[in-house]
Amino acid sequence: MSDEIDQLHQEAAASLANASDAQALEAWRIEYLGTKGRLKGMMSRMRDLSKEERPVFGQRMNALKETLEASFDSRQSGAAASHDGPPIDVTEPGLPARSGKRHVLTRTIDEIVEVFGRMGFSVAEGPEVEDEWHNFNALNIPDDHPARDPIDNFFLAGDRMLRSQTSTVQIRVMEQSPPPLKIISVGRVYRPDTHDATHYSMFHQVEGLCLDRGVTMIDLKTVLFQFAKAYFGPEAEVRMRPSFFPFTEPSAEVDMKMKIRGQWQWVELGGCGMVDPNVLEAVDIDPEEWTGYAFGLGIERIAMRRYGISDIRNLYENDERFLRQF
Ligand code: DAH
């Protein structure tokens, strides 16, 4: 019996060595390892053996099975690696490779930076993890102001928080560089809003700050007007409605007229105003000598209205079918 096992092993090994392609390998597998294969056939002879012989026989057969399976596996992966098998049809047309593209928001941001760049604004950056000084105090937002409500902010340990507005960067820039200044800053801001079609707990703003001698509200309106024309087209306009922000006096809300599905419409984009003297004093700049304007616009708003996107969540779901459209 032992001889027969050896013989089967030798035959199987020789036959496997001769199998030259994927088809032959499969035929070998069926012949030796298949459910009706030769190993199974030999196993069935167990019943002819005595009680003492059976375990020895069983063990040898299992060992043989494992050895053959291992040899088969290594031949098969070798065959796959060397492209053994059906020949490759080199004349078959290939699949077109789709190139990646910028996310629609990144594209909007790049366009905004470009337009303000042409008007002489350089780009400043600030951290997303901020402290209360930069997010509130220096911006003339008093301790008891409702904007500080924990329900409207992502507070972290200590006095750290995720910034709720890019106005923080105005302070950082004024702390570091003396006027005159003309900067924009683009970045993420965070507010614990429940997600729906127009709200998301993270979004982007573009902040502007211009500080010089003799800057007036006319300069502010001119810059916003120029931006609207350059970005939305020659018929675009800017409208300012009186409003209140702690860090500007006077303050206004900014609407821009943009083309939406062929129609010109007013869209509210953010806030603006003349930098409040208290803000300048907080960063040791003399408000008697320097005046400035500031503005903050929502970027998702601009992108959504401009590209006809009705749900802000689409911007963050990374569904390729959506992203490919822009
Ligand atoms: N930070 C304000 C907000 O998030 C927007 C804003 C309003 C920014 C007026 C400004 C400004 O720079 O002058 O709602």
Side-chain angles (χ1 to χ4, degrees), residues 139 164-168 170 189 191 203 205-209 220 244-245 247-252 254 269-275 293-297:
L139 286 163
S164 64
Q165 50 186 354
T166 45
S167 303
T168 52
Q170 291 184 33
V189 298
R191 294 179 196 175
F203 57 97
Q205 290 183 328
V206 51
E207 189 82 15
L209 171 72
L220 169 60
F244 174 81
F245 297 100
F247 32 91
T248 42
E249 182 57 38
S251 305
V254 184
L269 289 185
C272 67
M274 300 306 292
V275 181
Y293 61 77
F295 57 87
L297 311 176

Side-chain angles (χ1 to χ4, degrees), residues 13 23 47 51-52 68 84 119 123 143 251 253 274 302:
Q23 243 170 330
R47 58 178 173 257
K51 247 201 176 116
E52 295 74 38
L68 292 182
D84 228 350
M119 292 193 281
V123 174
D143 281 344
S251 305
E253 251 155 82
M274 300 306 292
I302 297 179

Side-chain angles (χ1 to χ4, degrees), residues 77-308:
S77 51
S82 65
H83 295 299
D84 228 350
I88 293 169
D89 179 0
V90 293
T91 64
E92 192 178 342
L95 295 172
R98 261 205 309 264
S99 60
K101 42 162 109 167
R102 280 177 303 167
H103 191 281
V104 58
L105 258 188
T106 312
R107 178 173 153 187
T108 309
I109 290 170
D110 291 349
E111 290 163 350
I112 291 173
V113 168
E114 207 266 329
V115 173
F116 279 112
R118 275 191 267 146
M119 292 193 281
F121 287 83
S122 51
V123 174
E125 279 181 52
E128 290 175 24
V129 174
E130 264 296 3
D131 50 42
E132 293 191 32
W133 167 257
H134 291 92
N135 203 87
F136 298 126
N137 302 57
L139 286 163
N140 198 32
I141 302 176
D143 281 344
D144 56 355
H145 193 279
R148 293 185 183 244
D149 197 325
I151 227 164
D152 294 325
N153 293 283
F154 285 109
F155 286 108
L156 308 170
D159 86 329
R160 304 250 128 191
M161 62 181 296
L162 297 180
R163 68 179 178 194
S164 64
Q165 50 186 354
T166 45
S167 303
T168 52
V169 187
Q170 291 184 33
I171 303 301
R172 291 206 169 259
V173 168
M174 291 190 287
E175 280 173 340
Q176 275 157 26
S177 323
L181 292 166
K182 201 172 177 187
I183 59 102
I184 58 162
S185 185
V186 179
R188 298 190 186 97
V189 298
Y190 300 85
R191 294 179 196 175
D193 285 331
T194 306
H195 294 182
D196 62 22
T198 53
H199 295 87
Y200 212 77
S201 46
M202 181 276 297
F203 57 97
H204 295 72
Q205 290 183 328
V206 51
E207 189 82 15
L209 171 72
C210 172
L211 205 57
D212 209 330
R213 293 187 177 90
V215 176
T216 71
M217 202 104 179
I218 298 291
D219 301 308
L220 169 60
K221 187 159 184 189
T222 303
V223 155
L224 294 174
F225 187 76
Q226 299 282 3
F227 169 74
K229 294 251 180 246
Y231 191 60
F232 298 112
E235 291 172 73
E237 276 179 59
V238 169
R239 184 166 79 178
M240 281 150 117
R241 285 174 292 116
S243 185
F244 174 81
F245 297 100
F247 32 91
T248 42
E249 182 57 38
S251 305
E253 251 155 82
V254 184
D255 299 340
M256 284 190 194
K257 208 160 138 189
M258 61 176 92
K259 207 170 200 167
I260 296 161
R261 278 171 237 104
Q263 296 276 327
W264 287 93
Q265 283 178 34
W266 287 108
V267 178
E268 186 187 322
L269 289 185
C272 67
M274 300 306 292
V275 181
D276 193 292
N278 288 344
V279 174
L280 297 177
E281 268 161 16
V283 289
D284 280 334
I285 292 176
D286 180 3
E288 295 299 325
E289 183 177 0
W290 303 98
T291 48
Y293 61 77
F295 57 87
L297 311 176
I299 292 180
E300 276 77 358
R301 271 261 162 121
I302 297 179
M304 288 170 70
R305 302 307 287 261
R306 180 143 197 235
Y307 295 106

